[in-house]
Amino acid sequence: MAAMMPLLSTKGLSCAFGGLRAVDGVDFALPCGEIRAIIGPNGAGKTTFVNLVCGRIPASSGKVFFEGRDISRLPAHQRVRAGIAYTFQITSIFPGLTVLDNVAPAAQRPSARQVAASGSSRERALHALEEVGLGQYAHQQAGHLSYGHQRLLEVAMGLALRPRLLILDEPTQGLSDGEIENFIALVREIGRKATVLLIEHNMDVVMALSDRITVMERGRVLAEGNPEEIRADQAVQRAYLGA
Amino acid sequence: MTRAGARNLLLHGAVLVLLFALNFVLPEYHRGILSRVMVLAVFAMGYNLAFGYTGLLSLGHAMFFAAGLYGAGLTIYHLGWSVWPAFGAGLLAGGVVAAAIGFLALRTTGVAFMIVTLMFAQVFYLGTLYFTTYTRGEEGLILPQASRKLELPGAELILTDPAVRYMTALTLFAAVLVGIFLLVRSSFGRALVAIRENEERMRMLGYDVFANKLLAMIVSGVICAAAGAAYAVLFGYVGSGFAAIQYSILPLLWVLLGGAATTLGPLIGTLFMFYVIDIASGLTRAHLLVVGIALILVVLYFPKGIAGTIRERWLRWLQ
Amino acid sequence: MAFGPYFLLATLEGLVTAAVLALTALGLSLVFGVMRVVNVAHGEFYMLGAVLAWWLASLVSGHPAIGFLLALIVSPLLVAAVAFLAERLVLSRLKYEPEATIVATIGLLYIIQQLALTFYGPEARPVRAPFDMRIALPWFGYSAYKLSVIGMAVLLMLATWILLTRTKIGLLMRATQSDRETALAFGIPVGRVYAGVFALGAGLAAVAAVLIVPTQQAHYLMGLDPLLLSFIVVIIGGLGSLRGTLVAALLIGLSDGIISMFFSPTLAKMLATLLVALVLVFRPQGLFGTAMR
């Protein structure tokens, strides 16, 4: 039974702003170890959905389960401690601090899992920077990094938390083709250790990375399947891909 | 320790040694001023923790200073407590007031936070006037000379003696400086700076932002209360003027002038302002005019303050 | 004496307070609404208005109405000019960054206060009312001038409202308020509009002070109370909401008049300030308007 239990699941998760139901009764399940992409047209409720999952905005109704535990009432910072890391759609770093000091808060906060982790918090921070390839910039001021590097720094902050689930909100937006290729390799590497939930517009990235894809439209789940199934799905093509 | 760390340690040690040596060379008048400056610099350091490091621009820190002042002053004057427990009462009063105000005011941010703290401080100030039976309001209380003695094992320090007063002020100043020095290098101190820089990001790194800010407010409040309590026992006067709006503005000015989020900035700013006013009062009675002009000049031309500018231009390692 | 006369007197006094407060708070609200900055020196513009009124009235002899009228017209203009200069020389250079602006206006507060002390002195001095008449009410006579203050305040607020809603200047202000960037793109001189709004806000405080000096004396420390009361009004009313400001001024003015008639004024002020701070904590959008950020 335990093997069947998804890492993350939601039941009837909804969020309304005024009269608009941005997320409307979403039932969602994400097994451990998967790389999952959420796609859908603008305004489909993708970002709102992951914000509900990580607790940045309160749900109007419905529940969120993480590792089988109901976390619907936990504030955002406790969900992070439980193992959910979120990287912002709009780059959100500490521009006045050094690159290393950006990652340090994530590496130094002691959580149950990190006590077991090896090395000092400084080593863990450096390690996260090396994982994304920013090791050489550790002592630069973060605000002076290029945009692509700032996006990587954002990911490094997520990695330093050693999450069970890493949520990436449009990580490749604004990156060059070369940077995107490196990024795909990076996420594959991350996928070996953590479950990844990815919101992405670039279909090449989605097809290259994801084990399964969830398609959202108007706050609801329209379809779900592996990349081939989604590519073949008529409803998805009508709503989103081609027509 | 890193090289920058060693340099900072050396510099801060040198400042303390210099302050110690000044006791023996300064003329009486200036030694008196410096005693007062060190106590008020403690107030400024407490304010700096909230404003400089955590980014909480409070306009109500006079109430924490005054909580310490009255906590110590009233227990000495009315209950006949000796200095140690009275000082403890001052710290406790500051901590309790800071916890309560922080719990409420930290629900707001930005301009609303400034105005809420200003208003709570105004309530505190009006309270010191309303309970005039105990506080004697603006006129204030003069603590009896006999009560201002510090009991130590095997000794008794007469706090009215200028040299003892100077050394006591220096001891408090040194303790708080060392405390702040360690605090800002700790993970808690770094977390506060990161919260100032990007609060939402810290939340999403698993930090309880509210709890961290509240703790910063309480530590800040207790430090300010320590300055207030020390002021009461060292200078023997406890009046509601110290709870007035002006005493919320002054630490802001001292910290801005000296350099926000620098460990030595509060001392530099307080010292500088004291002497500017001292010199100006030879020319004009309107010393608040000097304060007003200084505030405007600092925000216009010198937003990083003295130590902040030195750090930016020359000494990048300065803490 | 029975409860009735006290209550009537308290209500009348409260209405006068409310009228003057509404004008003062309107100025503060306008500045916040358009420029999104909090002017801590607002109370000092009020004080400056009162002090200048005394000075101007003392320049002329003859019937007191001449001096009062001179003060009513010239004092707000002078204060507005001071505010205009302060805006151009200081606030505009701070790019209206909210926290720096508050610190700078605190500086302005001290400067104005100390200059008033230096040139006007520590005394409290009255301006003679333009006319001296009492209106007979059921239990007592009441100053006709005080009643006329209410009328004049209403007229002035009406004039401000017309200025804001019916004139080109008002249109510019509203355009700047709703979207600064777009206003700039359309060639609206945003800088001058800001300076104008700041001057208008200060002028409103000054004119309120001129109205009140015949009944309360001019003093260099008189600015703090109107500042705090205006904050209270603007917060309760919701920052930037004109209708909220008026309702809140009426509420605060009346309750201030009635409460301080029956309780210790210090206690009344304490409780009112505490209450308003709590409103701001738990309902930052005020009781009527939009949130302050």
Side-chain angles (χ1 to χ4, degrees):
Chain A
M1 190 62 208
M4 300 289 291
M5 189 180 73
L7 179 70
L8 171 78
S9 63
T10 69
K11 293 273 175 297
L13 196 60
S14 302
C15 176
F17 301 115
L20 178 78
R21 298 187 72 84
V23 170
D24 193 1
V26 170
D27 296 327
F28 178 87
L30 177 59
C32 206
E34 198 174 294
I35 296 181
R36 171 76 62 94
I38 300 181
I39 63 171
N42 282 327
K46 307 180 297 287
T47 292
T48 309
F49 174 70
V50 295
N51 275 326
L52 292 174
V53 166
C54 62
R56 290 185 70 213
I57 48 178
S60 321
S61 63
K63 290 196 177 305
V64 183
F65 298 90
F66 188 68
E67 297 182 306
R69 186 158 70 109
D70 184 355
I71 59 166
S72 316
R73 301 202 144 271
L74 286 188
H77 68 269
Q78 286 186 15
R79 297 190 196 194
V80 177
R81 288 184 199 177
I84 301 178
Y86 173 79
T87 67
F88 286 71
Q89 179 177 12
I90 296 156
T91 307
S92 176
I93 57 171
F94 307 103
L97 307 184
T98 66
V99 171
L100 185 61
D101 280 345
N102 267 262
V103 188
Q108 84 190 173
R109 193 188 46 71
S111 72
R113 222 177 354 275
Q114 280 177 4
V115 173
S118 59
S120 69
S121 65
R122 190 185 157 83
E123 282 163 11
R124 287 200 297 273
L126 269 172
H127 182 70
L129 284 178
E130 271 152 20
E131 269 183 275
V132 302
L134 287 180
Q136 57 190 327
Y137 302 106
H139 298 288
Q140 275 195 17
Q141 193 178 325
H144 296 161
L145 288 181
S146 73
Y147 179 77
H149 284 163
Q150 290 190 4
R151 300 270 354 163
L152 288 176
L153 177 56
E154 179 94 22
V155 176
M157 291 159 93
L159 284 181
L161 288 168
R162 299 179 171 255
R164 308 250 7 232
L165 170 65
L166 178 63
I167 299 176
L168 299 167
D169 195 350
E170 305 214 6
T172 64
Q173 203 178 35
L175 296 190
S176 71
D177 288 346
E179 285 171 328
I180 286 178
E181 239 165 76
N182 289 336
F183 192 82
I184 290 174
L186 172 63
V187 174
R188 277 215 185 97
E189 194 56 38
I190 294 170
R192 290 167 193 269
K193 283 172 293 184
T195 308
V196 176
L197 181 60
L198 173 80
I199 295 180
E200 187 52 68
H201 273 299
N202 185 328
M203 287 312 288
D204 295 336
V205 176
V206 171
M207 293 301 169
L209 276 176
S210 32
D211 301 316
R212 287 175 74 80
I213 298 172
T214 299
V215 186
M216 285 186 73
E217 195 204 10
R218 287 189 221 155
R220 292 167 177 275
V221 174
L222 182 69
E224 199 170 288
N226 64 34
E228 285 67 40
E229 288 164 356
I230 294 301
R231 220 194 291 265
D233 191 302
Q234 296 281 320
V236 174
Q237 286 187 2
R238 266 198 310 279
Y240 181 57
L241 288 179
Chain B
M1 186 177 276
T2 59
R3 241 175 83 158
R7 282 174 168 173
N8 276 307
L9 203 61
L10 215 62
L11 175 67
H12 287 72
V15 168
L16 290 179
V17 169
L18 178 68
L19 286 172
F20 180 80
L22 282 175
N23 173 56
F24 305 102
V25 294
L26 280 184
E28 197 49 58
Y29 175 74
H30 291 282
R31 184 164 70 169
I33 286 194
L34 202 53
S35 308
R36 212 169 284 254
V37 163
M38 285 190 290
V39 171
L40 292 174
V42 169
F43 182 18
M45 285 194 277
Y47 185 78
N48 192 25
L49 182 63
F51 165 63
Y53 291 101
T54 320
L56 298 169
L57 208 171
S58 148
L59 292 180
H61 261 57
M63 73 182 134
F64 306 138
F65 184 81
L69 188 85
Y70 278 109
L74 292 180
T75 49
I76 289 177
Y77 191 87
H78 292 292
L79 306 177
W81 287 17
S82 65
V83 166
W84 277 119
F87 189 75
L91 295 192
L92 184 70
V96 169
V97 173
I101 299 303
F103 185 77
L104 291 169
L106 287 172
R107 290 161 190 274
T108 63
T109 53
V111 172
F113 180 80
M114 301 165 81
I115 293 183
V116 166
T117 48
L118 180 106
M119 288 187 145
F120 280 128
Q122 186 67 11
V123 172
F124 191 100
Y125 168 65
L126 291 170
T128 64
L129 295 181
Y130 183 70
F131 295 103
T132 184
T133 335
Y134 305 103
T135 65
R136 294 237 194 97
E138 297 279 4
E139 183 198 330
L141 308 169
I142 308 285
L143 300 184
Q145 296 256 346
S147 68
R148 290 161 58 196
K149 285 180 299 206
L150 193 64
E151 313 276 347
L152 290 176
E156 192 179 63
L157 298 179
I158 310 294
L159 295 178
T160 43
D161 176 77
V164 174
R165 179 155 63 192
Y166 185 92
M167 282 305 169
T168 312
L170 175 59
T171 308
L172 175 72
F173 174 80
V176 173
L177 184 70
V178 169
I180 293 271
F181 185 89
L182 295 175
L183 190 148
V184 301
R185 299 176 79 91
S186 72
S187 58
F188 174 55
R190 286 162 196 268
L192 294 184
V193 171
I195 286 172
R196 179 193 74 199
E197 292 282 310
N198 191 340
E199 184 174 322
E200 184 58 16
R201 181 72 255 189
M202 280 301 269
R203 196 187 321 282
M204 296 317 291
L205 291 179
Y207 283 78
D208 188 338
V209 169
F210 183 83
N212 274 288
K213 283 186 184 174
L214 184 59
L215 191 56
M217 264 305 256
I218 294 173
V219 176
S220 162
V222 170
I223 294 175
C224 295
Y231 199 93
V233 296
L234 289 180
F235 302 101
Y237 169 73
V238 173
S240 57
F242 289 110
I245 237 175
Q246 198 194 323
Y247 271 84
S248 292
I249 306 302
L250 283 175
L252 169 67
L253 173 62
W254 296 331
V255 168
L256 274 176
L257 187 64
T262 62
T263 39
L264 288 173
L267 174 69
I268 299 172
T270 313
L271 191 65
F272 191 87
M273 220 41 230
F274 247 79
Y275 274 98
V276 167
I277 289 177
D278 193 53
I279 293 163
S281 57
L283 311 170
T284 163
R285 291 204 344 271
H287 76 269
L288 280 181
L289 188 68
V290 181
V291 173
I293 292 171
L295 277 172
I296 290 181
L297 291 181
V298 167
V299 290
L300 269 183
Y301 301 109
F302 220 42
K304 294 211 189 294
I306 296 169
T309 307
I310 291 175
R311 169 161 68 190
E312 195 175 59
R313 299 262 172 85
W314 300 290
L315 308 178
R316 296 302 302 265
W317 51 268
L318 190 65
Q319 182 167 309
Chain C
M1 201 157 41
F3 178 74
Y6 274 119
F7 190 75
L8 179 63
L9 183 61
T11 309
L12 285 172
E13 292 287 314
L15 276 176
V16 175
T17 308
V20 174
L21 185 55
L23 271 181
T24 316
L26 184 61
L28 191 69
S29 176
L30 206 60
V31 168
F32 181 81
V34 176
M35 300 168 66
R36 313 304 290 179
V37 298
V38 175
N39 175 19
V40 185
H42 196 64
E44 304 315 307
F45 289 137
Y46 177 94
M47 179 274 287
L48 199 57
V51 166
L52 286 175
W54 174 85
W55 177 66
L56 288 161
S58 71
L59 289 181
V60 293
S61 50
H63 194 277
I66 303 170
F68 178 80
L69 274 179
L70 181 74
L72 188 64
I73 294 164
V74 177
S75 164
L77 288 178
L78 288 178
V79 172
V82 171
F84 190 91
L85 273 181
E87 203 281 343
R88 291 289 78 189
L89 291 180
V90 180
L91 300 196
S92 65
R93 296 190 190 185
L94 294 174
K95 312 254 186 306
Y96 311 102
E97 204 272 304
E99 296 181 342
T101 305
I102 290 198
V103 176
T105 54
I106 291 170
L108 206 56
L109 177 159
Y110 285 144
I111 293 173
I112 296 175
Q113 206 176 77
Q114 286 292 313
L115 289 178
L117 177 62
T118 306
F119 292 104
Y120 172 82
E123 301 85 5
R125 302 189 183 97
V127 172
R128 282 185 65 191
F131 49 89
D132 190 16
M133 214 170 74
R134 296 188 83 74
I135 292 178
L137 294 174
W139 292 289
F140 49 81
Y142 194 71
S143 155
Y145 174 73
K146 282 193 179 180
L147 292 178
S148 78
V149 166
I150 301 174
M152 283 188 281
V154 170
L155 283 180
L156 282 165
M157 277 183 280
L158 215 60
T160 312
W161 185 74
I162 289 172
L163 177 77
L164 289 178
T165 55
R166 297 276 187 277
T167 66
K168 180 145 182 283
I169 299 172
L171 182 70
L172 290 181
M173 286 183 189
R174 279 179 294 134
T176 312
Q177 170 168 15
S178 63
D179 188 345
R180 184 172 186 272
E181 300 308 315
T182 314
L184 268 174
F186 274 92
I188 293 176
V190 169
R192 260 183 290 157
V193 172
Y194 276 11
V197 168
F198 200 69
L200 177 63
L204 281 169
V207 84
V210 178
L211 291 182
I212 208 68
V213 272
T215 67
Q216 289 172 8
Q217 306 183 330
H219 186 257
Y220 82 105
L221 287 177
M222 73 191 294
L224 184 61
D225 274 354
L227 174 70
L228 287 172
L229 282 176
S230 300
F231 269 155
I232 291 176
V233 164
V234 170
I235 288 164
I236 299 251
L239 274 166
S241 149
L242 292 191
R243 197 179 314 140
T245 304
L246 293 187
V247 177
L250 211 59
L251 197 76
I252 297 293
L254 278 177
S255 52
D256 186 66
I258 292 167
I259 291 173
S260 47
M261 187 75 59
F262 297 102
F263 297 95
S264 137
T266 310
L267 184 63
K269 249 191 260 175
M270 235 170 104
L271 294 179
T273 312
L274 186 63
L275 201 68
V276 170
L278 292 175
V279 166
L280 195 49
V281 168
F282 292 106
R283 247 191 92 81
Q285 69 274 38
L287 299 181
F288 303 96
T290 48
M292 163 164 64
R293 278 287 153 211

